[in-house]
Amino acid sequence: MTRTPIPVTDPADPRLADYTALTDVALRRRLEPAEGLFMAEGEKVIRRALAAGYPMRSLLLTEKWTAALADVIEAADAPVHLVTPELAEQVTGYHVHRGALAAMQRLPLPDPARLLADARRVAVVEAVNDHTNIGAIFRGAAALGMDAVLLSPDSADPLYRRSVKVSMGAVFSLPYARLERRPQALAPVHEAGFRLLALTPDERAVDLAEALAGVGPDDRIALMLGAEGEGLSPRALAAADTWVRIPMAHGVDSLNVAAAAAVAFYAVATARRPQTGP
């Protein structure tokens, strides 16, 4: 028997409560972590969230997407609401141009030490509170072979709608954890045997390629990234084993954190010890 989505015509319908006022950032920051809710937007992202094991609370879609998501609708153990594009915009507060939204249930985050146990290449993100940058960092980390991401308590939420969208669902394929809010928050990284590299434009930092000379694929490397403008905190820099930088040209002093992360991820992920002998 084919499952049919439930038409909803009233924007005040309580069944649509999860989707109300998504543009109210302060409200979503309060609501989503507390209630274990996040939004997946668009067919690809919804499929990736489901494939990663996140339970779906409900699905909101327009007629245009019923065929493309027919298998998801059929398998869904959650309400599927059919609305017009106008109603979707009225409820959410923005144009749902991808035609489908899913309210998803969060999963518990792993302990950092457990996440580090099987990793070799890790990104450590400090105080990056821009959701676009977080999404781009996750996309780059997943694409360029990083094994995991550790986030400081004041970094943005990877499962916030904008982060998920920018990452194209990469936040679901790359494991991550939150570090504790304490002076020795990076202790688990050192205890797991990682060499901690702090990415900074400081002139005292060594060239990233030079720092990675002699590093092999089995060596444990953690690359630390700071926020736009301020960069890594003095405490984070003091905890690092080595300060590293990406050489700049044409008078440019630094890159956007997401762009710098992608360059550094590639260098770290592909580091190989030089071959010896004939």
Side-chain angles (χ1 to χ4, degrees):
M1 181 178 178
T2 302
R3 187 175 184 188
T4 304
I6 305 166
V8 179
T9 58
D10 182 1
D13 193 307
R15 292 174 293 181
L16 304 183
D18 281 351
Y19 305 94
T20 302
L22 295 184
T23 55
D24 186 343
V25 175
L27 173 63
R28 303 312 295 184
R29 283 178 177 168
R30 291 195 301 270
L31 175 66
E32 292 182 4
E35 295 191 1
L37 167 69
F38 72 91
M39 289 291 156
E41 180 181 357
E43 180 189 358
K44 288 184 180 179
V45 171
I46 291 171
R47 290 185 183 279
R48 288 173 181 171
L50 291 170
Y54 289 94
M56 187 165 69
R57 289 165 48 128
S58 65
L59 180 63
L60 179 77
L61 74 164
T62 59
E63 182 67 39
K64 176 183 176 181
W65 290 96
T66 55
L69 288 165
D71 59 320
V72 173
I73 295 170
E74 191 66 29
D77 186 22
V80 179
H81 307 303
L82 183 66
V83 297
T84 64
E86 294 75 20
L87 183 64
E89 183 170 351
Q90 188 176 355
V91 170
T92 63
Y94 75 101
H95 178 56
V96 187
H97 69 279
R98 294 183 185 271
L101 279 173
M104 310 293 294
Q105 191 73 37
R106 289 173 182 259
L107 298 173
L109 291 180
D111 177 76
R114 182 160 61 86
L115 191 67
L116 291 167
D118 298 320
R120 290 294 181 272
R121 300 289 189 264
V122 173
V124 181
V125 180
E126 183 194 44
V128 176
N129 52 28
D130 180 89
H131 290 99
T132 297
N133 282 334
I134 284 291
I137 287 171
F138 266 81
R139 187 174 183 179
L144 297 170
M146 302 300 282
D147 298 318
V149 177
L150 294 178
L151 299 165
S152 67
D154 51 352
S155 287
D157 180 11
L159 295 186
Y160 184 69
R161 183 178 62 84
R162 182 64 180 169
S163 303
V164 173
K165 183 177 179 180
V166 171
S167 80
M168 290 298 293
V171 294
F172 307 131
S173 60
L174 194 67
Y176 70 94
R178 289 276 183 185
L179 294 167
E180 295 182 9
R181 193 184 298 276
R182 60 187 178 92
Q184 300 301 318
L186 292 169
V189 183
H190 287 294
E191 291 168 1
F194 281 83
R195 180 184 171 197
L196 191 56
L197 306 182
L199 192 64
T200 172
D202 193 291
E203 61 183 14
R204 293 170 292 177
V206 301
D207 187 307
L208 178 58
E210 179 183 336
L212 293 173
V215 170
D218 292 329
D219 294 320
R220 292 186 159 185
I221 300 294
L223 181 70
M224 191 156 44
L225 305 161
E228 295 279 349
E230 296 181 1
L232 292 167
S233 67
R235 178 177 292 171
L237 290 169
D241 296 300
T242 308
W243 293 8
V244 298
R245 60 181 173 80
I246 299 169
M248 298 284 110
H250 300 292
V252 178
D253 61 352
S254 64
L255 297 171
N256 163 274
V257 64
V263 172
F265 291 159
Y266 180 78
V268 169
T270 59
R272 296 288 185 273
R273 285 195 182 96
Q275 297 296 316
T276 58

